[in-house]
């Protein structure tokens, strides 16, 4: 008998391993994934198995999910390490959340990587979200606190009924988003922020612009414009703007490149150089009436009324009696208190 047992064991060890059959997931808890970009570089991916409020036998568990199916606090589950553990934030394997860049979760730092995501529900007060380094475990049976990378507290919210456990992203901003777990009538939101998103983008642009994308002035202008719009890396923006104007075989002096350089100089506080560059821009043959008008409007917005009037008058000299010219002159005279002249130009523009 003993020899038969040993032979059976040996044959089992030597038996070939076959691929898993394409059967429904355990408990019919379907696998799901949601993904969200924060800016062009940072990406958040949540993978989970989605249970429903209705039990496999068809019985509704509505009103029995929180504090019942999902226990409050840490609980022993009678399997694995059998130590107090959090809820797996889903079903079957542990829920995972992946960040391609370093992030802030509810203002707390978390390095880029993939984490098991656990939730500690409470009957009252804030709930605890856990980001754990061990992503290989089934559920939370083998959870260990020593593997926690981050814990944060959030306040659950009431939400319209959700039959299936679902993750979603909302309040999507340039540098942040809010992720949330929704199930039954609870919502557990948490903010994800990429604090240095613009710096990451600038670093990416620098790498790209030393390759073939840097061999066209339009890409250099786009990179400089991004820096201006986000008030980041302005010294680098000036380098790109200058290359767009004068880099051999790449740079082209036209209204777009010259005005981009002028705007960067203004933003850097180099006003004399900026004004001289913008004068070149509006005098260039590629400068249209609308473009010159736009520059004059910017001057008015910054309080440079006299210079704005000078630009609008130059626009009339260059482009004649077209509506941007008259509108610009009306605005400039009005800003300087010359309302009679402003009205004259406004009537002609109308």
């Amino acid at each position: 008998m003993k020899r038969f047992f040993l032979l059976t064991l040996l044959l089992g060890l030597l038996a070939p391993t076959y691929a898993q059959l394409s059967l429904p997931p355990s408990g019919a808890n379907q696998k799901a994934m949601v993904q969200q970009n924060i800016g062009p570089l940072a990406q958040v991916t949540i993978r989970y198995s989605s249970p429903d409020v209705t039990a496999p036998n068809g019985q509704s568990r509505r009103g029995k999910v929180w504090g019942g199916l999902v226990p409050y606090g840490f609980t022993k589950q009678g399997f694995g390490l059998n130590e107090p553990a959090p809820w797996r934030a889903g079903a079957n394997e542990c829920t995972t959340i992946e960040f391609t860049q370093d992030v802030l979760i509810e203002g707390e730092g978390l390095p880029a990587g993939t984490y098991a995501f656990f939730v500690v529900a409470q009957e009252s007060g804030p709930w605890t979200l856990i980001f754990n380094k061990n992503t290989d475990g089934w559920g939370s049976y083998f959870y260990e606190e020593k593997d926690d990378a981050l814990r944060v507290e959030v306040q659950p919210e009431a939400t319209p009924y959700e039959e299936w456990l679902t993750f979603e992203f909302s309040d999507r901003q340039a540098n942040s988003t809010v992720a949330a777990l929704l199930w039954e009538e609870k919502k557990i939101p948490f903010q994800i922020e990429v604090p240095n998103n613009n710096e990451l983008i600038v670093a990416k642009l620098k790498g790209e612009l030393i390759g073939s994308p840097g061999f066209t002035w339009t890409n250099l202008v786009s990179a400089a414009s991004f820096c201006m719009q986000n008030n980041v890396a302005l010294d680098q923006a000036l380098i790109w703007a200058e290359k767009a104007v004068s880099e051999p075989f790449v740079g082209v002096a036209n209204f777009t490149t010259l005005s981009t350089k002028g705007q960067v100089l203004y933003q850097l506080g180099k006003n004399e150089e900026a004004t001289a560059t913008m004068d070149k821009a509006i005098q260039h043959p590629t400068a249209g009436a609308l473009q010159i008008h736009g520059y004059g409007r910017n001057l008015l917005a910054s309080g440079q009324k006299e210079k704005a009037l000078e630009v609008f008058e130059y626009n009339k000299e260059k482009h004649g009696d077209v509506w941007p010219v008259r509108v610009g002159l009306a605005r400039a005279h009005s800003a300087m208190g010359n309302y009679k002249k402003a009205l004259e130009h406004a009537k002609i523009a109308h």
Side-chain angles (χ1 to χ4, degrees):
M1 185 69 180
K2 182 177 181 181
R3 293 171 70 182
F4 174 77
F5 173 77
L6 290 174
L7 179 61
T8 302
L9 176 62
L10 179 61
L11 290 173
L13 292 172
L14 295 176
T17 301
Y18 296 102
Q20 291 185 348
L21 294 173
S22 299
L23 296 172
S26 176
N29 300 305
Q30 297 179 6
K31 291 181 180 293
M33 182 188 77
V34 288
Q35 195 170 71
Q36 178 64 43
N37 275 36
I38 304 175
L41 302 178
Q43 191 174 77
V44 183
T45 304
I46 302 175
R47 295 179 174 87
Y48 62 104
S49 293
S50 176
D52 59 334
V53 174
T54 303
N57 64 5
Q59 183 178 1
S60 175
R61 297 177 287 194
R62 189 169 185 175
K64 302 175 183 178
V65 170
W66 305 109
L69 185 60
V70 177
Y72 291 131
F74 288 81
T75 57
K76 290 187 176 183
Q77 302 173 81
F79 182 74
L81 300 178
N82 198 26
E83 295 291 337
W87 175 50
R88 71 186 80 185
N92 300 347
E93 300 96 326
C94 63
T95 295
T96 63
I97 182 166
E98 178 184 2
F99 308 100
T100 59
Q101 303 289 344
D102 296 351
V103 295
L104 297 178
I105 306 293
E106 291 291 311
E108 300 291 332
L110 185 64
T114 303
Y115 301 91
F117 180 66
F118 300 117
V119 174
V120 183
Q122 300 291 350
E123 189 169 4
S124 62
W127 292 17
T128 302
L129 309 184
I130 300 174
F131 299 82
N132 187 276
K133 298 174 185 177
N134 180 9
T135 61
D136 295 327
W138 180 276
S140 55
Y141 294 119
F142 296 91
Y143 166 81
E144 293 187 81
E145 184 177 348
K146 68 180 179 62
D147 293 323
D148 287 354
L150 178 68
R151 289 187 180 194
V152 297
E153 290 189 343
V154 298
Q155 196 67 40
E157 301 174 3
T159 192
Y161 180 76
E162 288 280 350
E163 171 70 17
W164 295 92
L165 184 147
T166 303
F167 281 88
E168 69 171 21
F169 294 98
S170 62
D171 192 19
R172 302 170 193 172
Q173 305 297 323
N175 299 323
S176 66
T177 188
V178 173
L181 183 159
L182 301 90
W183 196 23
E184 200 209 32
E185 293 168 347
K186 289 284 187 187
K187 177 179 181 179
I188 303 98
F190 55 100
Q191 186 183 55
I192 305 169
E193 181 183 359
V194 183
N196 60 338
N197 202 26
N198 289 336
E199 289 80 2
L200 292 171
I201 294 171
V202 171
K204 182 70 171 176
L205 292 174
K206 287 177 70 175
E208 291 175 344
L209 289 172
I210 63 174
S212 58
F215 298 159
T216 169
W217 64 264
T218 54
N219 283 341
L220 293 164
V221 164
S222 294
S225 298
F226 171 83
C227 294
M228 282 192 293
Q229 292 161 7
N230 294 279
N231 197 30
V232 62
L234 294 177
D235 290 332
Q236 180 61 61
L238 184 57
I239 292 172
W240 286 330
E242 180 57 50
K243 284 178 177 289
V245 174
S246 58
E247 180 82 351
F249 310 111
V250 175
V252 176
N254 57 32
F255 176 82
T256 301
T257 57
L258 288 166
S259 63
T260 299
K261 179 182 175 182
Q263 292 167 45
V264 176
L265 288 166
Y266 272 130
Q267 209 157 335
L268 284 167
K270 300 179 180 183
N271 293 342
E272 284 189 23
E273 192 177 350
T275 299
T277 303
M278 288 303 303
D279 285 345
K280 290 181 182 179
I282 64 174
Q283 291 164 19
H284 196 274
T286 58
L290 276 173
Q291 292 167 312
I292 297 173
H293 175 79
Y295 173 46
R297 290 283 300 271
N298 289 340
L299 290 169
L300 282 178
S302 64
Q304 300 179 65
K305 295 180 288 187
E306 291 81 5
K307 181 63 178 176
L309 179 59
E310 178 187 322
V311 168
F312 288 131
E313 287 176 340
Y314 171 75
N315 204 12
K316 183 177 186 301
E317 177 186 330
K318 185 173 182 179
H319 292 105
D321 194 13
V322 294
W323 75 263
V325 167
R326 293 298 182 177
V327 170
L329 287 169
R331 288 180 178 277
H333 284 298
S334 178
M336 297 182 71
N338 300 326
Y339 300 117
K340 185 176 180 181
K341 284 189 175 182
L343 184 58
E344 290 173 3
H345 289 295
K347 285 180 177 179
I348 296 172
H350 181 71

